[in-house]
Amino acid sequence: MKTAILKTFDADILSAITFLQKGGLVAIPTETVYGLGADARNDMGVARIFEAKGRPSFNPLILHVDGVGMAEKLAVFSDQARVLASRFWPGPLTLVLPIRGGADVSALVTAGLDTLAIRMPAHLVALAVIKGLGAPVAAPSANLSGKVSPTCARHVLDDLWGKIDAVIDAGACEVGVESTIVGFHEEDNGAPILLRPGGINKEAIEAAIGGPLLHSGCKKEKRTLRHENRPSAPGQLSSHYAPSAALRLNVSQARPDEVWVGFGAMGEAAGLNLSKSGNLTEAATSLFDMLRQADQLAKHKAQKIAFAPIPEHGIGLAINDRLRRAAAPR
Ligand code: TXA
Ligand code: MG
């Protein structure tokens, strides 16, 4: 299959929509990372997402909507979910909500769960595609399963060239890490739970709900989760975001056999730096590209990769989460 490289003119958006209508796959820019999109109603399109990524079929997909109206047709919102959507949409916040009976969505999307993950992306191109299709777009990150997420069209093509119908090239993604995922406790009065740190800071969510966010790993949550043997964000447990080279974290002095990625003043001697000024937002934007660059360099010289310490606050939580998964035993 030949993969078309589309731009962002009206005619390009129209071709993207036509591919989706025929059950095709189109990689779409969002503010977080590029997503591998299919019409969420189309079984064949959704099945092809799993096939192209090599994604296990038990790992459910996020639906992308053009607004709260489309979302409410698919899922049941609690008052708190409405507060979060109105505060953070469009934007990098995904809500996991009970699926509405009769929702027009392929059963493959939820992988057998009775919940749906939904978000409204803050990207004009993504919104134009969803609006034009008139239906939700199912889209996981547009990388091979378990590999580093794509923040530009080149990254998408490196992994998926020849396996997808098209990519819309809208340049680099602004946020650079995936959305924050929030679920709601089935007992405990639907208290919100952080399932994945991401583009919206935990602190901002806590300010919006006026209280603390539970964490998916915490004891209280584990006790009362309905699917005891299922992770609450199924893609979140195993090794993930994995480059080919081995990774060492919190490194203040790299070894001779390591490609060192610095942050701020830590790693001024390093060849790569996530943000020379020590800015976490900038570090998030460059994270996945630097991970790919470091991997190329390391591969070339049969080296490993070392990352300088990243502060554990704000979007630093999401950066450290991705780095820990990238460094996890495979
Ligand atoms: O920023 C993002 O979220 C990007 C862009 C493309 O929107 N998408 C993304 O999708 O990161 P993906 O598939 O790489 O990660 C989605 C995560 C997976 O870990 C999946 O297991 C989890 O969301 N997920 C999906 N549906 C779920 C559900 N019903 N309950 C719990 N977790 C769910
Ligand atoms: Mg992903």
Side-chain angles (χ1 to χ4, degrees):
M1 174 195 293
K2 197 170 160 287
T3 300
I5 302 175
L6 303 172
K7 297 283 179 201
T8 58
F9 299 110
D10 289 352
D12 296 285
I13 305 286
L14 273 179
S15 344
I17 293 166
T18 307
F19 280 125
L20 295 175
Q21 282 167 338
K22 291 181 182 161
L25 297 184
V26 181
I28 290 166
T30 81
E31 79 282 30
T32 58
V33 301
Y34 275 69
L36 180 55
D39 181 335
R41 303 166 299 184
N42 189 311
D43 288 327
M44 184 179 74
V46 176
R48 284 187 59 205
I49 291 181
F50 288 93
E51 193 190 326
K53 281 184 60 104
R55 182 179 178 104
S57 60
F58 58 76
N59 193 357
L61 305 178
I62 295 181
L63 295 190
H64 296 72
V65 295
D66 65 2
V68 177
M70 189 184 275
E72 295 237 19
K73 285 191 190 135
L74 303 165
V76 182
F77 279 65
S78 62
D79 290 347
Q80 226 163 15
R82 274 198 196 98
V83 167
L84 289 176
S86 69
R87 171 72 183 79
F88 296 109
W89 284 4
L93 176 70
T94 296
L95 298 173
V96 174
L97 301 167
I99 189 167
R100 192 175 280 289
D104 192 4
V105 171
S106 164
L108 300 170
V109 165
T110 58
L113 298 176
D114 46 16
T115 53
L116 265 185
I118 305 187
R119 81 180 191 99
M120 177 189 185
H123 197 294
L124 291 177
V125 171
L127 291 173
V129 171
I130 301 162
K131 258 201 185 78
L133 184 66
V137 171
S141 51
N143 50 277
L144 291 174
S145 185
K147 298 291 179 192
V148 179
S149 298
T151 52
C152 65
R154 166 101 322 254
H155 295 165
V156 174
L157 293 169
D158 285 347
D159 272 16
L160 297 172
W161 169 261
K163 295 183 166 186
I164 63 178
D165 296 281
V167 55
I168 305 179
D169 184 356
C173 301
E174 216 179 303
V175 177
V177 292
E178 300 87 342
S179 59
T180 304
I181 306 183
V182 170
F184 298 88
H185 226 286
E186 289 180 6
E187 298 158 28
D188 208 358
N189 279 326
I193 313 164
L194 180 67
L195 298 177
R196 174 176 77 180
I200 301 277
N201 294 343
K202 173 176 171 263
E203 295 87 338
I205 296 171
E206 290 181 331
I209 58 180
L213 253 184
L214 296 178
H215 282 240
S216 57
C218 78
K219 243 188 184 166
K220 186 175 184 191
E221 196 260 339
K222 267 194 190 136
R223 250 198 347 256
T224 47
L225 233 142
R226 191 194 299 166
H227 302 284
E228 292 262 312
N229 52 358
R230 254 182 202 272
S232 41
Q236 293 305 301
L237 283 189
S238 47
S239 147
H240 218 83
Y241 309 100
S244 308
L247 212 79
R248 205 158 64 89
L249 305 183
N250 299 314
V251 172
S252 47
Q253 187 58 60
R255 298 169 185 154
D257 66 341
E258 287 175 330
V259 174
W260 195 19
V261 185
F263 175 77
M266 183 66 80
E268 283 196 309
L272 298 169
N273 196 309
L274 285 176
S275 165
K276 288 197 167 139
S277 62
N279 179 311
L280 283 172
T281 306
E282 186 188 16
T285 307
S286 38
L287 176 67
F288 289 138
D289 187 55
M290 293 237 165
L291 205 45
R292 283 172 187 253
Q293 281 188 49
D295 203 27
Q296 282 303 319
L297 291 170
K299 209 187 286 173
H300 196 60
K301 296 193 190 156
Q303 290 181 314
K304 297 171 183 161
I305 305 172
F307 268 82
I310 310 293
E312 185 76 4
H313 60 80
I315 204 167
L317 248 62
I319 298 174
N320 282 319
D321 169 79
R322 306 308 185 264
L323 286 176
R324 278 193 289 270
R325 289 176 208 289
R330 299 165 203 166

